[in-house]
Amino acid sequence: MAKEPMAISPRKPAANNGDIGAGQAEIDLREYALGWPDYELLDAGDGKKLERWGEVVTIRPDIQAHFKPGWSWSDWLDRADWEFEELSSTQGTWKNLKQQAPEHWDIAYQQLHFGLKLTKFKHVGLFPEQQANWRFIAARVKPGQKVLNLFAYTGAASLVARANGAELVHVDSVKQMLGWANENRERSGLTDIKWVLEDALKFAKRELKRGNRYHGIIMDPPAWGLGAKGEKWKLENHLADLIETARGLMHPGAFLILNTYSPKVDLADLQNAAEQCFAKNQIEIKQLWMQTKTGKALFYGNLLRAIR
């Protein structure tokens, strides 16, 4: 399933005004992704976010930034190289704010390297909030274990797992995404990733019939989009099937990571679907957040982790 043609608009958490402070129950649900030397969430507010990717600074729309930013708009414009202007809910154009600003550039995360570029879908090739999951993967994966990454996009989670010694199967239904991911593999000096161009859920079901099992399953499905043959996809219609199929593919002790960016899937939906396949003590339900340099807190979506 293509990650590009989708609206990333998770359901708005209650009483989020962009401040870090929250009630204890809400704090317990939050997991914060952390910036790193080549990435910073500088500020957010008024429906936009200001980000630094290496030496390049972008302004992108974000429905969750429904609060006042920490800096003024003139401060943003002083810092930014590019601003994405939406033409529809799924596409737009980039406005150049600084002469000589590159349209293609590279950044690093630890020993990994990623090629970024401006796309008409507002993305640049990396979802930095997934740093929270990269930490989890790095802590869990052991050399020689088999990991399956579904809806795998440009491969950040695949590269983290491979760099930690996993045997990696990377699945995406968009040929250009596989090519981009393979370029990132080459940049990072890694080898031996199995690339699969196919609908992620269909591939997973075939793996189940073949009796293949994994020590880790990573799924980052789009909220909505089109499959390899133009099939319409809505995450809420496939959530239970995704979790059940993943459960069947897991060795005892294996982990599952499932991100949900859909406004149709809230924490209760995620919990209920997970409890059909896992015991309560095997499940962790979280909200993904990131803190800005100006002290705001931006919500990115809901997250299921499970251990069989």
Side-chain angles (χ1 to χ4, degrees):
M1 203 66 52
K3 187 168 290 296
E4 294 274 47
M6 69 172 182
I8 301 180
S9 53
R11 185 166 298 174
K12 182 172 71 176
N16 172 31
N17 60 6
D19 295 329
I20 296 299
Q24 187 60 47
E26 185 177 348
I27 289 174
D28 290 344
L29 284 173
R30 293 185 180 187
E31 177 155 351
Y32 281 88
L34 305 176
W36 62 92
D38 265 5
Y39 176 80
E40 243 184 328
L41 180 59
L42 298 172
D43 196 12
D46 292 338
K48 301 176 186 292
K49 58 188 174 186
L50 181 70
E51 301 166 280
R52 180 182 62 80
W53 315 80
E55 299 299 320
V56 178
V57 176
T58 63
I59 299 171
R60 298 191 293 164
D62 195 303
I63 193 173
Q64 296 301 328
H66 50 83
F67 42 79
K68 292 298 180 184
W71 292 333
S72 70
W73 182 243
S74 62
D75 287 335
W76 282 39
L77 292 178
D78 284 343
R79 290 172 167 83
D81 297 287
W82 295 96
E83 180 187 2
F84 187 83
E85 297 181 332
E86 290 182 303
L87 299 177
S88 70
S89 62
T90 58
Q91 295 189 25
T93 61
W94 289 90
K95 180 180 179 182
N96 180 232
L97 302 175
K98 298 284 193 303
Q99 288 187 356
Q100 309 305 319
E103 298 184 33
H104 303 257
W105 69 102
D106 290 357
I107 69 169
Y109 173 75
Q110 298 180 1
Q111 76 272 40
L112 304 176
H113 296 268
F114 303 99
L116 305 185
K117 61 185 177 183
L118 308 177
T119 75
K120 62 182 179 181
F121 307 110
K122 85 178 176 181
H123 305 304
V124 298
L126 202 63
F127 290 90
E129 71 277 8
Q130 290 304 312
Q131 190 271 348
N133 286 324
W134 303 341
R135 298 194 313 256
F136 179 87
I137 293 165
R140 294 280 317 181
V141 168
K142 295 179 175 60
Q145 291 186 332
K146 293 180 63 178
V147 173
L148 175 63
N149 189 6
L150 301 170
F151 313 96
Y153 193 50
T154 58
S158 296
L159 299 190
V160 171
R162 183 72 189 103
N164 281 272
E167 296 178 12
L168 212 294
V169 179
H170 174 114
V171 184
D172 202 279
S173 67
V174 180
K175 187 175 182 180
Q176 294 91 326
M177 292 301 105
L178 289 186
W180 196 340
N182 191 41
E183 291 169 1
N184 287 334
R185 177 198 61 77
E186 292 175 347
R187 289 183 178 93
S188 300
L190 298 173
T191 59
D192 300 326
I193 292 176
K194 180 179 179 180
W195 308 105
V196 179
L197 177 63
E198 195 165 344
D199 178 274
L201 183 53
K202 290 178 180 177
F203 176 81
K205 286 181 175 294
R206 277 200 293 278
E207 285 289 90
L208 194 59
K209 290 181 179 178
R210 287 188 283 252
N212 289 332
R213 299 295 180 265
Y214 293 87
H215 300 95
I217 309 285
I218 304 164
M219 294 194 289
D220 194 8
W224 62 270
L226 298 176
K229 297 182 179 179
E231 315 96 305
K232 291 184 179 179
W233 165 278
K234 292 183 179 179
L235 178 57
E236 62 271 21
N237 295 338
H238 298 279
L239 182 64
D241 200 9
L242 282 170
I243 295 174
E244 182 180 4
T245 303
R247 170 65 174 75
L249 287 170
M250 296 167 70
H251 282 300
F255 69 84
L256 167 66
I257 298 172
L258 173 60
N259 300 289
T260 65
Y261 294 106
S262 172
K264 301 291 187 180
V265 179
D266 60 20
L267 290 173
D269 296 327
L270 203 52
Q271 182 86 34
N272 291 337
E275 287 180 359
Q276 303 306 307
C277 299
F278 298 93
K280 287 186 178 181
N281 64 357
Q282 296 176 309
I283 298 168
E284 180 182 49
I285 304 290
K286 291 286 190 178
Q287 294 177 337
L288 273 179
W289 292 74
M290 187 174 279
Q291 183 177 347
T292 72
K293 184 176 180 180
T294 59
K296 302 293 181 176
L298 188 61
F299 173 66
Y300 280 89
N302 297 323
L303 168 67
L304 164 67
R305 295 196 188 115
I307 306 294
R308 178 173 176 184

